Amino acid sequence: MYPNKHKQIVTALMDGKFITVDEFYFDIIKDNQAFYVEFFKESFDFELKGTQEYFYLLSADTNENTSRDISIFFAIFCYELDKDGKNFIDELTFSEFHIDQIIEYFKNSGWSDIIKANKSLNSAENLKKLLGNTMTKRNIAKKHSDEKYTFTKAYKLFIEFARELINSEKNKANA
């Protein structure tokens, strides 16, 4: 006997979606977390990862360029928001962004070498695809009317990843 909405949960997670705290499926996974941890490990050799705000799958066999691109997106976007005098955590948590506003931040960024070298970030059209297709499909961003976006709690994984990477690089430099 499987938990309620099992097929929908498995399909969403296998499609690379984040299940966030504001979704109905989140509570089902949380209430059956031990089952889902074992289910994904035994069935697919995937690791179910979760926090108090989201769940997602992790595979050791994946060469995940999309996650890298999303991490770079958030690193540059947060840097630019901070440079603009805004608290990027508050902005990502509570604000709505028009796609043109996001494109402007990237167009005027001091990180132009990294942006030009990244296929997902190097043009307005590619940024629109990353945000409008990839990030919305994975439930990292939500598209609203008039080309406006908000970010789900899943953005925190990418911020945490960037923080760990920075600390790792500092430790290497100090060694």
Side-chain angles (χ1 to χ4, degrees), residues 125-141:
E125 195 59 38
N126 290 344
L127 264 170
K128 286 179 183 180
K129 286 179 189 173
L130 178 68
L131 196 59
N133 295 338
T134 305
M135 291 172 71
T136 55
K137 178 183 173 201
R138 292 177 182 241
N139 198 31
I140 300 164

Side-chain angles (χ1 to χ4, degrees), residues 69-84:
D69 293 346
I70 294 169
S71 295
I72 294 169
F73 168 88
F74 277 115
I76 292 171
F77 192 50
C78 290
Y79 177 83
E80 294 302 327
L81 288 169
D82 186 62
K83 191 173 89 179
D84 206 19

